[in-house]
Amino acid sequence: MTMQLTGIHHLTAISAKPRENLAFYTGLLGMRLVKKTVNQDDVSAYHLFYADGKANPGTDLTFFDFAVPPERRGSNSISRTSLRVAGENAIGYFRDRLRKAGGPTGEVTEVDGRLTLTFEDVEGQRLTLVDDGGVGPASPWEKSTVPAEHQIRGLGPIHLDVRDLSRTAMVLQGVMNMRHLRDYAAADSKADVQVFAMGEGGPGAELHVIEQKELPVARQGAGGVHHVAFRTPDETQYHGWTRRLRELGIPNSGEVDRFYFRSLYFREPNGILFEIATDGPGFATDEPMDKLGEKLALPPFLEPRRAAIEAGLKPITW
């Protein structure tokens, strides 16, 4: 059996301003806070998950609440995160909405054959809205601040800047069974962007990688990205990936049970942290679907420490 990753599972970024972060992603972008929990490796920090109305895998943009300095941008990093919307009208709606809010917002531009709009959040997180043509199912959130037809549908292409493209490509293709689809000219670089795809492909299952030898190596921080996770559909393939990494001698975390999904972490050759994550069991495991994100959720192994954990967290309602 040739194992296939099916797309982007989630992307985890870093915020030093969780209250402003919550206001931006739920208030301005209209995403649903589907899980308010803690970083399981550092319970003094929130881990916030924003997604579509049903918290489907492939729609999660998540944030660790770390009180750290801003990111130093550079190579060997995840440089931009795309979010999918359906159609030119949705792109235009968000252009006007973002400009009215006053943050950095670019022009609507066709890139790699798709309409796009670049913008940044309150901490400089680099984001792009991508028109996915409305292909595939959508799960709008009825309480969103954004009309259903314009809501963010999920994650789009994730952009990587690396010093050595050949080494990254070797892992993407030779280890992770991705395929190289095409390349296109970058707006701000002499190098072309290389597009790698998973599963059935499409904007929710692509990595866009560019070689940036001349840039300094990035330093993670607020407004930057921590890691990207890729979807594996079931436990059988998840265990298969664990065996594959072990057999190839690739250092990894071993299997980690995050309660809402199972995880497996490793770094590609330029040092970017990758995760392979299962689609299930999902975020409705410990909360009703209509109540997701309303209270602090803790996995069972942290529940006995709830009082101490809650005492160490600051309220972040806005």
Side-chain angles (χ1 to χ4, degrees):
M1 177 185 69
T2 300
M3 294 181 298
Q4 288 290 325
L5 301 167
T6 58
I8 307 298
H9 186 283
H10 67 268
L11 180 133
T12 297
I14 300 170
S15 172
K17 300 177 179 179
R19 177 178 289 196
E20 291 90 336
N21 183 272
L22 179 66
F24 186 89
Y25 288 94
T26 62
L28 187 58
L29 294 191
M31 300 180 76
R32 183 182 184 188
L33 178 66
V34 297
K35 192 63 60 177
K36 180 169 67 172
T37 185
V38 294
N39 181 324
Q40 294 181 12
D41 303 314
D42 177 5
V43 297
S44 68
Y46 282 108
H47 192 180
L48 306 177
F49 290 76
Y50 306 107
D52 68 3
K54 293 185 177 178
N56 289 305
T59 72
D60 300 312
L61 179 57
T62 95
F63 287 86
F64 291 146
D65 153 38
F66 290 156
V68 293
E71 172 200 34
R72 183 183 70 198
R73 294 179 179 179
S75 199
N76 294 350
S77 67
I78 298 170
S79 58
R80 184 169 293 277
T81 303
S82 301
L83 302 168
R84 294 182 289 108
V85 295
E88 184 176 1
N89 288 343
I91 295 270
Y93 170 87
F94 272 109
R95 176 198 58 207
D96 297 345
R97 186 176 178 88
L98 289 162
R99 286 182 177 169
K100 185 177 180 181
T105 307
E107 301 291 339
V108 177
T109 309
E110 185 173 305
V111 178
D112 190 31
R114 299 173 182 138
L115 283 183
T116 66
L117 176 70
T118 60
F119 65 105
E120 295 181 3
D121 75 2
V122 293
E123 295 176 274
Q125 187 74 232
R126 287 170 285 177
L127 302 162
T128 299
L129 291 176
V130 175
D131 174 15
D132 67 2
V135 176
S139 299
W141 182 36
E142 67 275 7
K143 297 180 182 178
S144 175
T145 57
V146 171
E149 67 273 18
H150 297 328
Q151 285 182 33
I152 291 167
R153 292 159 47 85
L155 290 167
I158 305 302
H159 293 249
L160 277 56
D161 288 7
V162 297
R163 282 283 183 91
D164 188 339
L165 175 63
S166 64
R167 297 178 71 204
T168 299
M170 179 178 64
V171 167
L172 297 181
Q173 295 174 281
V175 177
M176 302 174 73
N177 295 331
M178 296 188 195
R179 59 195 184 278
H180 181 264
L181 279 190
R182 59 185 180 274
D183 57 65
Y184 63 92
D188 53 358
S189 173
K190 295 179 181 178
D192 288 341
V193 179
Q194 307 297 321
V195 179
F196 297 86
M198 296 159 270
E200 296 179 359
E206 291 178 358
L207 284 183
H208 291 206
V209 188
I210 188 168
E211 187 170 81
Q212 300 275 31
K213 290 181 180 294
E214 72 284 357
L215 294 181
V217 174
R219 183 189 64 215
Q220 278 193 344
V225 175
H226 190 272
H227 68 270
V228 60
F230 307 101
R231 296 175 64 180
T232 189
D234 54 47
E235 296 275 336
T236 299
Q237 291 206 34
Y238 170 63
H239 298 315
W241 287 111
T242 305
R243 289 193 300 273
R244 183 168 178 80
L245 293 184
R246 184 173 64 241
E247 290 165 0
L248 292 172
I250 297 174
N252 63 86
S253 64
E255 296 185 352
V256 181
D257 186 351
R258 295 299 189 193
F259 186 61
Y260 307 111
F261 44 84
R262 315 283 185 255
S263 297
L264 175 65
Y265 301 88
F266 64 101
R267 292 189 184 275
E268 58 81 44
N270 287 283
I272 298 172
L273 185 60
F274 283 175
E275 175 184 353
I276 293 174
T278 58
D279 279 356
F283 290 112
T285 302
D286 58 352
E287 296 179 298
M289 181 61 73
D290 64 345
K291 301 291 185 183
L292 292 181
E294 294 182 5
K295 297 180 179 179
L296 181 71
L298 296 175
F301 72 91
L302 289 179
E303 193 60 48
R305 299 166 57 190
R306 175 176 286 275
I309 289 170
E310 287 184 336
L313 295 170
K314 296 178 181 178
I316 56 168
T317 54
W318 58 279

